[in-house]
Each structure stands twice: as structure tokens, then as C-alpha cells.
Amino acid sequence: MQKAPDYNNPQLILETSNLEPGHVVWRSPSNLAIVKYWGKHGIQLPRNPSLSLTLETAFTMTRLDYKAKESAETGIDLKLFFQEKRNEAFEARVIKYFESLTDIFPFLKQMSMEVNTVNSFPHSSGIASSASSMSALALCLCSIEHELFKTLEDDAAFDRKASYIARLGSGSACRSIYPGMSLWGHTGDIEGSSDYYAIPYEEHVHENFKGMRDDILIVHSGEKSVSSSAGHGLMESNPFAEPRYQQAARNMMYLIAAVRKGDWEAFGKIAEQEALTLHALMMSSAQGYLLMKPNSIKIMEMVRAYRKESGNPVYFSLDAGPNVHLLYPESIIHEVRSFVEEQLAPLCEEQHYIDDYMGEGPVQQ
Ligand code: DP6
């Protein structure tokens, strides 16, 4: 049994009469899981380990302004602006999230806060924003703690706590804290791995994967009909849940080996199988729902045909949505770009795709 870190700290209380108003700003990226997190239990704990690629151009920029609260009222006092407009639905979610964190950051009850958050990708692009937005918020909270109390002794301690806090906001967000690749969830094969936070994996990534490209093909940009949280919930009654968790644990072992060896073929095979399994699990859940669109399937078939014909290592992945991620080495970008522009972009909404790649991780501004 792994030990849960205990971040509760009643000493993080401010002398509010001395608090100067301040702000912190973080830019944090989205990430794409290769082995997927799908199914959770307890408080945001994964049913299986996952490994992801940290992205670069799909990010959230979040600024958190704080000042001493004027009233004695003890709830969370926060206003949230998303893409420069007050967003009450998102605000309510963040207030609930911050309320759940008051044993870890008791000072949150003493502040009036304003959050301004923007995504680099269009709101309607269908890109999952919870990983980038929740990790950006978690980083802001850890920065405030660090600035006001100097309690986070080094970068590793800071990142680990930020990952833990991000996980409580959205599971996949805990992996966005690290550059390159991140691993979340306990696996006997990796020392230090944990269900409570992600760990950096970049140093094990073979040269062949450095600069890996991820073209995100926007097939459909509307709201998802079933949220990821509801999807995780449906796994509890899915008849294929147990074999899935075993498959994920096996795929994790194979993926770790492929990433270390620089084996694109083994990597791509796992990426595609994981993507298709994720959607098969949605289809076989009690509500049997479909998030792929006809053009998602067309694109996946075309990618496989192109790979066969050209011999180029180009593979697809999917998130919980209809958009297709195209993964390939940086060295063949020119060839693959013509394929994307000529054959795949016409199947996308307004020919739209996001040109992304393995990134450097979050940056404080
Ligand atoms: C398909 O992290 O969005 O993207 O923890 O309920 O917020 P919550 O779910 P979320 O689920 C992401 C699922 C996925 C796979 C993955 O990122 O591993």
C-alpha cells in the first residue's frame, strides 16, 4: 500500500494586516496520454497508471490576484474571468475546488481572489482544457504558498505538491507539471511512481522521441455529450473494467520499454490500441455512447494506409472526443505536413488543426 503524502498544514495562516496585495501568473500546457487514465476511485485516484506527452502550444495562462479579505466571512471569495469574460459556471467549479483545499492551504479563506484565465487554443476547439487549466491553478496556489511562507524547500518538492494539488482538480492535470513525458499512477516497474501525484519521465525518453510532433486534427469542436468525469463513473459498472485495468498495466510495461529503446513501432502500436480501447470502453458502458465522428474514423484509416504506403512512422491517438492526434518524429515533419495539409485537413472542421509537439512544461511568467 502506498503512503498518501500529508499536505494538511494548519500553520499556513496569514497575519492579514501585513498582507500586501499580490499576484502570480503561470502558463501550463495540456497533455496527451499514450496509456490512458480511464476509471478512478476514492478521491481522484486512478485505476491504472498512465503515461503522457506534455504539449507546448495548447496551454492555459492563469493569473491569480489576491489581497486580504475585508469581511470576516470564512468561505472562498473568488471571481473568475475566462477569455476576459466573467464565467460563473467555471467560477463555481473553482470555488468548490478551492473549498476542498482549505486544509492544505488555510490562507485561501483569508483572501479575496480574482482569477483571469485564457487558453491558447480556441474555446470551441474541443481540446480538453481541464489538464492545462487545473494545473495552472495548482501552480498558482503553490507559488502563493512559496511566496508567503517559503515552505516548499526545492523545485522537486514544489512540483510534487503542484502535481498532487492539480490531481485533485482533474486527474490528467497532475501530468502537465513536467516537461517531455510524465507518469502518474503506481507501477511496480518504476520506483517513486504514485497514485497521488505524477513524476517526471523525460530523462528516460530516448533520443528518437525528442521533439515528437502531435498535430491535433479538429474534426469537431462542439461540447462533448458525456463529460470525462461521467465517463470515469461509468467504468464502475463496465463489464470490461477489470480486463481493461490489466491491459493498461501491461501496456504501461511495454510503453516504458518502447520509450526507453526509442522504438517508434512499439510506441505507435500501443498509442493506437489505447485510443481505440478508450472509445470501445465508452461504447460498451451502460449508456453506450459514441464520441468519434465519421471523419475521425476516416482519418484513422487514412493514417494507417499512409503508414503502410510510405513506411513513415505516423500513428494516431484520441482523447475523450472526436479529434485525432497525429504522432510522428520531428525528422519527417515536411513529408507528413504535406499529407496532413492535402489529405487530412479537408476532413477537419474549417480545415483546422493545431500544430503541437513535446513541450517544455509549465512556465511561471
Ligand atoms: C481520456 O482528467 O479529464 O483524457 O479526473 O474526472 O477530471 P477527471 O478526468 P480527466 O480524464 C481524462 C481522461 C483522458 C485520458 C487521460 O488523459 O489519461
Side-chain angles (χ1 to χ4, degrees):
M1 194 51 196
Q2 308 151 70
K3 213 170 154 293
D6 184 7
Y7 283 122
N8 289 357
N9 188 350
Q11 275 155 16
L12 300 183
I13 286 285
L14 297 162
E15 196 57 69
T16 41
S17 52
N18 298 337
L19 179 69
E20 292 288 327
H23 71 265
V24 287
V25 186
W26 275 92
R27 174 183 137 165
S28 188
S30 186
N31 70 75
L32 171 75
I34 306 301
V35 169
K36 308 288 183 187
Y37 147 59
W38 199 241
K40 61 178 169 180
H41 66 104
I43 303 177
Q44 294 282 93
L45 296 170
R47 290 281 185 197
N48 63 264
S50 55
L51 193 132
S52 60
L53 170 70
T54 301
L55 298 176
E56 183 68 22
T57 61
F59 64 82
T60 297
M61 180 85 80
T62 297
R63 172 178 167 134
L64 200 164
D65 283 80
Y66 59 87
K67 59 180 187 197
K69 213 188 231 178
E70 276 150 23
S71 74
E73 178 267 326
T74 56
I76 296 293
D77 175 12
L78 178 145
K79 280 196 184 59
L80 183 141
F81 296 81
F82 176 64
Q83 313 289 58
E84 294 175 5
K85 278 207 202 91
R86 181 94 181 262
N87 184 317
E88 281 170 11
F90 194 5
E91 181 177 292
R93 179 172 174 191
V94 173
I95 289 176
K96 213 166 142 209
Y97 173 46
F98 281 18
E99 273 164 359
S100 76
L101 298 174
T102 51
D103 286 337
I104 300 177
F105 302 118
F107 57 83
L108 289 178
K109 292 186 285 195
Q110 302 175 285
M111 293 174 161
S112 286
M113 292 170 278
E114 188 176 299
V115 172
N116 278 278
T117 186
V118 289
N119 289 343
S120 64
F121 40 94
H123 176 47
S124 61
S125 68
I127 300 296
S129 59
S130 72
S132 54
S133 57
M134 290 296 156
S135 54
L137 275 171
L139 287 158
C140 285
L141 295 180
C142 290
S143 280
I144 295 178
E145 174 184 334
H146 185 67
E147 278 175 22
L148 301 179
F149 300 95
K150 305 271 176 272
T151 29
L152 295 164
E153 68 270 21
D154 56 28
D155 286 353
F158 181 95
D159 288 348
R160 176 169 296 186
K161 183 162 185 177
S163 180
Y164 178 96
I165 301 296
R167 185 197 103 235
L168 297 174
S170 177
S172 55
C174 74
R175 296 183 311 237
S176 280
I177 302 298
Y178 297 106
M181 285 189 176
S182 297
L183 188 151
W184 171 38
H186 178 69
T187 159
D189 302 312
I190 303 290
E191 215 191 305
S193 58
S194 169
D195 284 352
Y196 296 96
Y197 44 80
I199 57 171
Y201 202 69
E202 191 179 37
E203 62 175 297
H204 305 293
V205 178
H206 191 277
E207 208 42 41
N208 292 356
F209 293 113
K210 295 278 156 74
M212 181 189 315
R213 307 301 304 191
D214 178 356
D215 291 348
I216 312 170
L217 303 155
I218 308 299
V219 170
H220 181 74
S221 62
E223 286 270 309
K224 281 192 280 198
S225 54
V226 180
S227 72
S228 284
S229 291
H232 288 289
L234 286 166
M235 279 300 278
E236 291 308 293
S237 59
N238 190 308
F240 301 107
E242 265 320 306
R244 157 60 190 161
Y245 302 139
Q246 287 164 21
Q247 176 204 37
R250 270 196 315 276
N251 275 349
M252 196 64 189
M253 254 167 47
Y254 300 146
L255 183 63
I256 284 168
V259 166
R260 290 187 173 191
K261 259 180 36 201
D263 184 343
W264 262 96
E265 197 179 334
F267 173 90
K269 200 170 147 196
I270 299 161
E272 293 194 351
Q273 190 199 45
E274 281 285 319
L276 295 174
T277 300
L278 172 69
H279 285 256
L281 290 165
M282 296 172 193
M283 290 182 219
S284 56
S285 67
Q287 262 149 40
Y289 63 106
L290 275 165
L291 295 184
M292 280 191 248
K293 299 282 177 203
N295 280 354
S296 319
I297 297 176
K298 263 194 202 147
I299 290 175
M300 291 186 281
E301 285 178 341
M302 286 169 69
V303 170
R304 286 187 163 173
Y306 172 79
R307 187 163 74 228
K308 210 165 160 198
E309 248 164 58
S310 66
N312 282 336
V314 181
Y315 297 89
F316 63 77
S317 182
L318 299 162
D319 253 330
N323 303 321
V324 182
H325 290 249
L326 205 63
L327 302 169
Y328 57 93
E330 192 179 26
S331 54
I332 54 171
I333 188 166
H334 295 298
E335 254 177 275
V336 179
R337 241 336 114 65
S338 341
F339 164 59
V340 170
E341 299 272 343
E342 285 158 26
Q343 297 189 48
L344 303 184
L347 298 168
C348 296
E349 205 173 78
E350 294 171 2
Q351 308 244 359
H352 185 43
Y353 69 92
I354 298 174
D355 170 8
D356 216 331
Y357 52 92
M358 184 189 279
E360 295 297 319
V363 184
Q364 185 167 16
Q365 306 291 301

